[in-house]
Amino acid sequence: DHSRAFVKIEDGCENFCTYCIIPYARGINRSVKEEKIIEQIKVLLSQGFKEICLTGIDACSYEPSFSGLVENILKTFPELPSLQFGSLDPAAIDDKFINLVKNYKNIHPHFHFSIQSGDNLILKRMGRRHSRETVINLCRAIRDVRPEATFGSDFICGFPTETDENFNNTLKLVEEAGIDKLHVFPYSVRPGTPAARMPQVPVNIRRKRAEQLRNLRKE
């Protein structure tokens, strides 16, 4: 796709989710200087790119402020046809971001969230900082200001200790939050992570749950 360019705004992550090796492998959050990002976008627009997608391992943890960066990009480039985002952390989306979505129609109205589970106990064991209620309220808040908004999400099925009931809460969340596009993965063990030491769900059950979740949104 020649019309879209990806701009990396940060690398690394310091959330230490219990299933993830990234903080150990890639180190802590390192944000790209704002002037450098603005300069890069300027060059890309001059080359004819129409869509700019901000990416990072944990883009929302951009310092000093993710929403501040987004606002500066939109103010600097009012002619930018479409600003998009890679994966967003539901716990890190603030009211300022929602106001930008409301006021700038060139923010592309599809948002991809890193949700991982729809069950609060499993989210806690994953070390995630959001609850299922966070996700439902966030999707509602964005739809309130942009009724045409659509949502995508990553989900992990069969995380250690996940029961049928925990998994059913994920199935319910997809409907309750109105999530359209699903990236579904059966849980896979990363040696050295806390989740690797938790009681494991049998692999065939992980796969079965992943298939069941994917089937909710079969194209």
Side-chain angles (χ1 to χ4, degrees), residues 17-139:
C17 296
T18 58
Y19 51 80
C20 183
I21 206 77
I22 283 173
Y24 308 96
R26 301 287 279 271
I28 60 167
N29 172 35
R30 298 176 302 289
S31 298
V32 178
K33 290 244 179 312
E34 194 166 293
E35 310 82 82
K36 203 173 161 188
I37 294 168
I38 296 286
E39 189 50 46
Q40 201 182 343
I41 293 173
K42 195 183 199 169
V43 170
L44 291 165
L45 290 177
S46 74
Q47 291 171 346
F49 286 95
K50 302 274 187 280
E51 302 167 9
I52 300 294
C53 182
L54 304 181
T55 67
I57 298 288
D58 181 26
C60 291
S61 69
Y62 181 85
E63 289 173 343
S65 160
F66 175 68
S67 297
L69 171 70
V70 171
E71 183 174 37
N72 283 352
I73 290 170
L74 293 162
K75 284 185 168 164
T76 308
F77 305 105
E79 76 284 8
L80 170 63
S82 178
L83 182 64
Q84 305 171 7
F85 310 99
S87 195
L88 299 171
D89 178 355
I93 300 288
D94 56 12
D95 291 343
K96 182 174 183 176
F97 183 83
I98 290 169
N99 269 328
L100 293 171
V101 172
K102 177 184 178 178
N103 295 323
Y104 288 90
K105 296 299 178 239
N106 51 348
I107 291 182
H108 184 67
H110 179 75
F111 303 91
H112 188 88
F113 298 125
S114 173
I115 298 174
Q116 311 302 6
S117 171
D119 182 85
N120 286 340
L121 178 62
I122 294 298
L123 285 167
K124 201 170 236 163
R125 287 179 178 160
M126 286 177 163
R128 303 295 292 166
R129 299 172 302 156
H130 63 272
S131 65
R132 70 193 318 278
E133 291 74 23
T134 311
V135 173
I136 292 165
N137 293 336
L138 175 58
C139 292

